[in-house]
Amino acid sequence: MAHYLVRARLRPALAAELHDRLRRGEFRRLRPFGEALTFSLENARLDPATGEAVWEEEDYCSPPLAMEREAVLDRYFEDLRVERVAEGEGWRRIAALPSLWGSGGPEAG
């Protein structure tokens, strides 16, 4: 298993839809990645310097996040980029950033 720091631009018109689906737990049932994807997106951060959503994701695919992109990510995000990191390193690097879903996040506008 590999871990990646993911950066992507959340499509503003779909931000509320994605957040609602996360709150309802709709992605948890997707196998084999639903639980990990849900956790990652629920805990995603907003990089104020770039306006990007940022999170750490565990993945088994080659290319990285292929199944997640097809099922969920490509609908809600664009310009998705990944950087391989050690487990937990991505979360440590973005810990000080605000939540993607908190005040000032994509739904605040």
Side-chain angles (χ1 to χ4, degrees):
M1 166 181 37
H3 289 260
Y4 297 93
L5 181 63
V6 182
R7 291 186 160 272
R9 296 204 174 277
L10 179 59
R11 298 175 194 271
L14 298 175
E17 176 186 311
L18 175 59
H19 197 205
D20 288 343
R21 293 184 75 187
L22 285 168
R23 282 191 296 234
R24 290 192 302 266
E26 290 186 21
F27 304 127
R28 290 191 187 285
R29 61 182 162 72
L30 298 174
R31 297 292 176 240
F33 58 85
E35 290 289 337
L37 179 66
T38 298
F39 175 85
S40 292
L41 292 178
E42 286 175 343
N43 292 284
R45 305 296 185 162
L46 175 66
D47 185 339
T50 64
E52 295 171 313
V54 190
W55 67 91
E56 182 177 316
E57 180 76 33
E58 67 179 56
D59 188 50
Y60 303 86
C61 299
S62 182
L65 303 177
M67 293 170 58
E68 292 88 339
R69 289 186 72 147
E70 182 179 339
V72 177
L73 297 177
D74 284 346
R75 171 169 172 74
Y76 296 103
F77 296 93
E78 54 192 5
D79 301 325
L80 192 135
R81 298 177 320 282
V82 297
E83 173 190 346
R84 190 156 185 176
V85 295
E87 182 177 359
E89 176 187 347
W91 291 123
R92 283 188 295 279
R93 286 173 46 185
I94 64 174
L97 298 177
S99 170
L100 180 62
W101 309 112
S103 63
E107 293 184 330

